[in-house]
């Protein structure tokens, strides 16, 4: 089976071991997918995020932290912080790659076998969608070649534009 899957829709509806949240450094929730995840998971998620915040003072861009799934049908939510897009000269590409890689490292450390990602940074944070998808796919493919504990990684695209971009890139010859 292909270890990389593509779906279009709401990530809070997926039944996987872990979903990734496109969070911000304060870990206190927000709008976009962050808002949808906190809304669906219930207040326990924010409580856990606040405990992490006390312990380590938030989460810098490129890093990720893990909580339970609250009321969601997942074991974990991995809160990854992507870069805010400026003009591409502020290390945004590497920070985005780190956000994907560090989420996968956390997933692996917690025996996650199935994980779904939203399109981190391509909403409010304004990262151009095509390079963001190229980075996401590259990081996931690289990780999966070195890891055999994660069975499937699902890219969950909410908007049609991202879905079409991933569809094209994933169906291109390697
Ligand atoms: N399921 C899957 N994807 C979604 C959903 C959903 N329910 N809702 C939106 N998306 P964004 P960012 C897609 O703005 O750019 C928050 O306030 C959306 O179409 O959620 O990383 C945080 O707290 C887009 O493709 O995240 C931060 O402050 C993708 O999710 C800031 O926004 C990411 O869009 C993070 O900005």
């Amino acid at each position: 089976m292909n270890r990389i899957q593509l779906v279009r829709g709401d990530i809070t509806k997926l039944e996987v071991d872990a979903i990734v949240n496109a969070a911000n450094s304060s870990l206190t929730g927000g709008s976009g997918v962050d808002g949808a995840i906190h809304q669906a998971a219930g207040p326990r998620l924010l409580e856990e995020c606040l405990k992490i915040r006390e312990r380590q003072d938030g989460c810098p861009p490129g890093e990720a932290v893990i909580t339970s799934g609250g009321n969601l049908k997942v074991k974990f939510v991995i809160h990854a912080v992507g870069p805010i897009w400026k003009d591409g000269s502020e290390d945004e590409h590497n920070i985005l790659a780190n956000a994907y890689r560090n989420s996968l490292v956390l997933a692996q450390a917690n025996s996650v076998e199935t994980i779904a990602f939203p399109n981190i940074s391509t909403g409010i944070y304004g990262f151009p969608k095509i390079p963001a998808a190229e980075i996401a796919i590259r990081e996931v493919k690289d990780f999966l070649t070195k890891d055999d504990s994660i069975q499937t990684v699902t890219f969950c695209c909410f908007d049609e534009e991202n879905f079409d971009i991933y569809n094209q890139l994933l169906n291109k010859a390697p």
Side-chain angles (χ1 to χ4, degrees), residues 9-11 22-24 29-34 36 118-125 156 158-159 162:
D10 179 353
I11 203 166
N24 61 62
S31 51
V33 69
D34 197 4
N119 309 130
I120 301 171
S121 282
T122 67
I124 293 159
Y125 279 1
C156 178
F158 196 63
D159 57 278
N162 263 317

Side-chain angles (χ1 to χ4, degrees), residues 101-133:
R101 203 167 43 249
N102 286 323
S103 297
L104 291 164
V105 168
L106 258 184
Q108 184 187 47
N110 287 276
S111 306
V112 164
E113 293 184 352
T114 54
I115 180 170
F117 281 95
N119 309 130
I120 301 171
S121 282
T122 67
I124 293 159
Y125 279 1
F127 202 115
K129 290 180 181 175
I130 294 173

Side-chain angles (χ1 to χ4, degrees), residues 3 6 8 21 24 31 41-42 71 73 109 115 117 142 159-160 163 168-169:
R3 291 168 77 199
L6 174 65
R8 175 146 187 232
N21 181 17
N24 61 62
S31 51
N71 298 332
K73 287 183 186 151
I115 180 170
F117 281 95
D142 278 3
D159 57 278
E160 191 175 359
F163 182 79
Q168 273 196 6
L169 292 174

Side-chain angles (χ1 to χ4, degrees), residues 2-112:
N2 194 340
R3 291 168 77 199
I4 299 182
Q5 307 279 316
L6 174 65
V7 298
R8 175 146 187 232
D10 179 353
I11 203 166
T12 65
K13 304 282 191 268
L14 298 185
E15 293 187 31
V16 287
D17 290 343
I19 58 170
V20 177
N21 181 17
N24 61 62
S25 291
S26 78
L27 298 175
T28 53
S31 51
V33 69
D34 197 4
I37 289 174
H38 275 277
Q39 171 89 36
R44 190 166 133 204
L45 209 66
L46 185 59
E47 282 164 26
E48 290 183 41
C49 285
L50 292 175
K51 282 208 182 100
I52 294 170
R53 213 172 109 100
E54 278 166 27
R55 231 174 30 231
Q56 63 173 56
D57 196 26
C59 182
E63 303 287 323
V65 300
I66 191 164
T67 63
S68 79
N71 298 332
L72 292 166
K73 287 183 186 151
V74 296
K75 292 183 199 149
F76 304 107
V77 175
I78 294 174
H79 305 260
V81 182
I84 299 173
W85 179 262
K86 296 206 177 67
D87 58 6
S89 67
E90 311 248 336
D91 215 25
E92 292 99 318
H93 299 85
N94 283 328
I95 295 170
L96 185 64
N98 290 344
Y100 279 93
R101 203 167 43 249
N102 286 323
S103 297
L104 291 164
V105 168
L106 258 184
Q108 184 187 47
N110 287 276
S111 306
V112 164

